Amino acid sequence: MALAVAERRQERETVHAAPAKDRYRWWGPLAVAVFAGVLRLWNLGHPHAFVFDETYYPKDGWSLWQQGYESAWPDNANQLILGDPQVIPLSHAAAFIAHPPLGKWVIGLGTHFWGLHPFGWRIAVALLGTLSVLMVARIGRRLFRSTLIGCTAGLLMAVDGLQFVMSRVGLLDGVSAFLVLAAFGALLVDRDRTRDLLRAARAEGGRAADEARLGLRPWRLAAGVLLGAACAVKWTGAPVLAVFTVLVLLWDQAGRRAAGAHRPWRSMLRRDLWPAALSMPVAALAAYLLSWTGWLATDGGYDRHWADGRGGAFGWVPAPLRSLWHYHSEIWHFNTTLTSPHTYQSNPWSWLVQGRPVSMYWEQLKTGEKGCTAPDGCASQILALGTPVLWWAACFALAYALYRWFFRRDWRSGAILAAVVAVYLPWFQYQQRTVFSFYMVVLVPFLCLAVAQMLGAMLGPAGSTPSRRRWGAAGAGLVVVAVMGCFAFFLPLYTAELIPMSDWHDRMWFTSWI
């Protein structure tokens, strides 16, 4: 009797402890996300200016929400929009654009509600940047089965200068980074769900693991839609789609092998290949085409009626789709032949060490101007510079991840490295193209996950001595504190704060940063 009562009491405690544990798994990531959100939303409308390529995308977003397509703007449009009283010289003339429309729809969503002002065209990206920090913390917890490591990854991303800057400007790359990260998280959930199904098949014995049909996989389908949306922001999402599709198939093969399949490769090819193709590339294509609805549903877009009256071998294809294909060929030509020199262009070889950050905003003031009291004048700058200590630590973390994957067959390290391959390596084929280091904001979440994994290893494996744990915790904590201190030191250069020129020079550690 007493034993039965004790068992019931333990069962009740377990039931009540599970929700508490779930809350703990959420409270840490939420706290990190709130911290990141405060940083990103504070004084978001400053500077009251078009920052770098904001001269394009907010106006395109406004035009999309007003007319369904991107239109041309007069040369003095920026001055009129920022003026008081404001004048918005929207025209109906079509404009050629270099990127698909979805990212501009997102940026334009903020202007739709808050107006065509700096805060309006930055708010949507800032919110996505904040949500990205929350996702990294949760993804890290799922990937490493540790809330501490997940929250560490989220905290590191919260204080990365590049992600911070790109969350506070109305550019496309922050939107693309959010979608790629969300797709990665969806695939992790799908992997866990699939492993549960395969474990159930293993329990049946025989050839169940070979013959198991995994059914509808909504998280994999969601990943396909998200990656199609990433392609609809920038075509850089295409190699990510290809690599992640291969990755999920390799996970399926490994899962079937672990479940006791006799021929896991053949089983994967028979049971998983075509469903993966339908739920990843095909779903991505559908999402991509959907992003062009505004251009297809209206008549004023660039080259919208190019195919009207044209015949040829593909005359049976509807004219709007042929016009869209022709438009894409022109966009491809523009993006692959862009070689106009730019002061802040850089080679991908230098991106991981932040060799050439991009100055997105610059204003130099003399003493007495706009509150400048420094005898040598003042500077106000937005520098798209990743927190140096974090990025330099990430170089070692990627080497450690490569070791873990190659020698220990650690699938978690392999997943991180797959993202590096998909996001980073494709840029090396464009050695002559004008490219910029801020494109790597898409890679930041995976760098933070790699560093968090390395810091987790510094703590020591389970069963380590207390002394080993203390020294490991001290070392890992020192790295995190160093990253946060470095971010605080460079914060004035991330927010266009007015600082003396002497303070600005103190932060120019290398001549290549100027």
Side-chain angles (χ1 to χ4, degrees):
M1 180 67 177
L3 180 60
V5 171
E7 289 177 349
R8 285 196 295 270
R9 182 184 299 117
Q10 184 178 3
E11 183 179 351
R12 287 196 300 270
E13 290 175 353
T14 302
V15 170
H16 289 296
K21 192 173 182 181
D22 288 339
R23 287 196 297 269
Y24 170 72
R25 291 172 180 173
W26 274 102
W27 280 119
L30 284 172
V32 173
V34 168
F35 170 68
V38 171
L39 287 174
R40 282 150 181 74
L41 296 176
W42 174 78
N43 203 19
L44 184 61
H46 176 75
H48 187 71
F50 285 90
V51 173
F52 203 68
D53 280 351
E54 283 186 345
T55 190
Y56 303 114
Y57 307 130
K59 290 182 290 188
D60 286 344
W62 178 266
S63 178
L64 282 168
W65 278 89
Q66 299 298 318
Q67 302 179 151
Y69 63 90
E70 297 93 338
S71 62
W73 295 78
D75 293 339
N76 64 338
N78 290 2
Q79 291 77 14
L80 294 174
I81 291 170
L82 295 174
D84 187 15
Q86 183 186 57
V87 176
I88 301 178
L90 180 65
S91 72
H92 296 287
F96 174 82
I97 53 95
H99 298 291
L102 183 59
K104 290 164 283 187
W105 278 106
V106 172
I107 293 171
L109 180 63
T111 65
H112 183 71
F113 289 103
W114 282 278
L116 192 57
H117 300 282
F119 179 87
W121 66 64
R122 294 170 187 161
I123 181 61
V125 181
L127 292 175
L128 293 182
T130 301
L131 288 174
S132 295
V133 173
L134 175 62
M135 284 197 300
V136 164
R138 290 289 298 172
I139 286 171
R141 197 214 67 79
R142 179 177 289 273
L143 192 63
F144 301 111
R145 296 299 188 263
S146 169
T147 302
L148 176 62
I149 294 179
C151 289
T152 300
L155 179 61
L156 291 174
M157 195 162 97
V159 294
D160 175 62
L162 181 59
Q163 206 274 347
F164 176 79
V165 167
M166 298 306 293
S167 296
R168 288 173 54 88
V169 294
L171 270 63
L172 302 178
D173 302 83
V175 182
S176 182
F178 170 83
L179 293 168
V180 169
L181 179 61
F184 183 78
L187 290 179
L188 283 179
V189 177
D190 174 74
R191 182 187 183 278
D192 288 347
R193 178 182 177 277
T194 301
R195 288 300 173 104
D196 290 339
L197 294 174
L198 289 173
R199 274 192 289 268
R202 180 174 187 173
E204 296 179 15
R207 303 188 63 87
D210 289 282
E211 302 299 329
R213 296 181 181 275
L214 301 177
L216 181 64
R217 295 166 64 171
W219 287 102
R220 188 173 62 176
L221 181 62
V225 172
L226 288 165
L227 290 171
C231 296
V233 176
K234 274 191 167 184
W235 286 353
T236 50
V240 181
L241 171 63
V243 172
F244 280 11
T245 301
V246 174
L247 179 64
V248 76
L249 288 172
L250 292 177
W251 283 351
D252 287 347
Q253 183 273 335
R256 289 184 181 274
R257 184 182 68 245
H262 297 281
R263 295 182 176 180
W265 278 104
R266 190 175 76 169
S267 300
M268 179 271 289
L269 293 174
R270 289 179 59 196
R271 303 296 184 189
D272 305 321
L273 178 60
W274 287 110
L278 291 173
S279 59
M280 297 281 284
V282 174
L285 179 61
Y288 181 82
L289 289 175
L290 187 63
S291 73
W292 285 90
T293 300
W295 186 89
L296 291 168
T298 58
D299 293 321
Y302 188 88
D303 268 356
R304 173 61 179 79
H305 294 286
W306 175 86
D308 291 0
R310 294 176 182 263
F314 295 95
W316 55 273
V317 178
L321 293 180
R322 283 185 286 134
S323 296
L324 185 61
W325 179 261
H326 173 73
Y327 195 2
H328 276 61
S329 68
E330 293 190 332
I331 296 174
W332 173 262
H333 176 75
F334 173 84
N335 280 296
T336 54
T337 60
L338 180 62
T339 57
S340 302
H342 192 283
T343 305
Y344 287 99
Q345 71 183 72
S346 57
N347 192 286
W349 287 107
S350 69
W351 289 354
L352 280 181
V353 295
Q354 291 295 286
R356 182 61 170 166
V358 177
S359 180
M360 294 195 163
Y361 175 81
W362 169 260
E363 187 177 16
Q364 187 170 358
L365 302 173
K366 297 179 180 178
T367 304
E369 292 181 340
K370 297 184 179 180
C372 177
T373 58
D376 57 346
C378 299
S380 176
Q381 184 179 30
I382 295 179
L383 187 66
L385 169 70
T387 303
V389 173
L390 174 60
W391 282 72
W392 297 339
C395 295
F396 294 97
L398 290 178
Y400 175 70
L402 186 61
Y403 160 78
R404 293 283 308 179
W405 171 72
F406 189 79
F407 291 103
R408 300 293 183 87
R409 293 296 185 264
D410 185 345
W411 73 270
R412 302 166 302 178
S413 299
I416 293 172
L417 292 172
V420 175
V421 168
V423 174
Y424 185 32
L425 294 190
W427 288 108
F428 285 90
Q429 65 182 314
Y430 300 113
Q431 291 294 310
Q432 304 302 320
R433 189 187 186 278
T434 306
V435 293
F436 303 94
S437 61
F438 69 80
Y439 297 161
M440 286 297 94
V441 68
V442 184
L443 190 62
V444 171
F446 305 100
L447 297 182
C448 293
L449 289 169
V451 174
Q453 181 187 31
M454 183 178 68
L455 296 179
M458 291 175 62
L459 292 175
S464 298
T465 64
S467 176
R468 168 70 175 83
R469 286 281 184 172
R470 285 195 298 269
W471 281 105
L478 183 62
V479 173
V480 174
V481 170
V483 170
M484 297 184 70
C486 187
F487 172 78
F489 179 71
F490 284 100
L491 186 60
L493 298 189
Y494 298 146
T495 58
E497 180 182 337
L498 190 66
I499 59 174
M501 284 298 299
S502 58
D503 290 353
W504 179 82
H505 282 291
D506 289 342
R507 288 163 173 80
M508 294 295 105
W509 289 357
F510 304 99
T511 56
S512 63
W513 289 6
I514 300 175

